Amino acid sequence: MIEIRPYKTLDEDFIYHSWLASVDYNIPGVQRMTRLVIDTCVQDGTILVACSDEDPDHILGWLGYTEKLGYPTLLYAFVKKKLRNHGIGGKLIRAKFPGEGTIPTAFWSYWCQKYNLKRKWGLRFNSLLLPVLVDRVHGETETQTSDES
């Protein structure tokens, strides 16, 4: 059976590595932006992890989301390649986004297209969500820095 649990510090290396490797456009700005988004999810605790109920430290997949845009927004979902299309991603999605509504998402990949996740999970990609999130996170960081001065 598959268990969905919150992020633990032990998960950090796997999540950073798999997220950054998945968004490997070899463009420094994209890598910095992706790291900022991951850092935000880690700090806010907005990562869910799919694991085996027999071994809760063995990660099968995970998803990162945010509440900073005024509504829950999917930022990224990852399932190990050999385990894709076996319901793990769907369990993660439904754990955070129960019901049948449209799920706003800030990232769209080849795999989203290949598995028709618009129809399958109700994902709706909006290319403006990621820049707005980065701007809000950057604004929070500036506010915190000026408050500390």
Side-chain angles (χ1 to χ4, degrees), residues 2-8 11 14-16 18-19 22 37-38 40-42 44-51 59-67 72-80 87-98 103-107 112 117 121 123:
I2 296 167
E3 178 182 313
I4 306 298
R5 63 167 175 76
Y7 161 86
K8 299 188 299 190
D11 306 329
F14 182 82
I15 290 170
Y16 272 90
S18 55
W19 199 333
S22 296
V37 171
I38 301 168
T40 301
C41 288
V42 167
D44 294 348
T46 55
I47 298 172
L48 294 177
V49 174
C51 55
I59 299 172
L60 308 175
W62 54 265
L63 73 77
Y65 64 94
T66 187
E67 305 276 348
T73 303
L74 178 65
L75 296 175
Y76 203 80
F78 175 86
V79 175
K80 289 181 175 178
I88 296 168
K91 278 193 169 224
L92 283 162
I93 291 290
R94 292 300 156 226
K96 177 58 201 162
F97 304 93
I103 301 168
T105 184
F107 186 79
C112 296
L117 299 184
W121 295 342
L123 300 185

Side-chain angles (χ1 to χ4, degrees), residues 8-133:
K8 299 188 299 190
T9 305
L10 180 65
D11 306 329
E12 191 169 304
D13 287 343
F14 182 82
I15 290 170
Y16 272 90
H17 180 270
S18 55
W19 199 333
L20 288 167
S22 296
V23 187
D24 183 17
Y25 293 111
N26 205 18
I27 301 169
V30 171
Q31 290 293 312
R32 279 193 307 274
M33 175 205 57
T34 303
R35 187 170 290 280
L36 175 70
V37 171
I38 301 168
D39 291 345
T40 301
C41 288
V42 167
Q43 290 166 358
D44 294 348
T46 55
I47 298 172
L48 294 177
V49 174
C51 55
S52 164
D53 61 352
E54 296 171 5
D55 184 359
D57 292 332
H58 182 89
I59 299 172
L60 308 175
W62 54 265
L63 73 77
Y65 64 94
T66 187
E67 305 276 348
K68 291 184 184 293
L69 298 172
Y71 45 84
T73 303
L74 178 65
L75 296 175
Y76 203 80
F78 175 86
V79 175
K80 289 181 175 178
K81 199 170 204 172
K82 291 184 179 190
L83 301 174
R84 291 178 186 162
N85 218 22
H86 293 288
I88 296 168
K91 278 193 169 224
L92 283 162
I93 291 290
R94 292 300 156 226
K96 177 58 201 162
F97 304 93
E100 298 297 319
T102 300
I103 301 168
T105 184
F107 186 79
W108 198 255
S109 73
Y110 164 81
W111 297 103
C112 296
Q113 199 70 29
K114 178 177 179 168
Y115 292 121
N116 196 7
L117 299 184
K118 181 178 181 179
R119 181 192 53 77
K120 188 174 183 178
W121 295 342
L123 300 185
R124 182 169 194 157
F125 172 65
N126 182 333
S127 63
L128 300 176
L129 295 176
L130 198 53
V132 170
L133 174 63

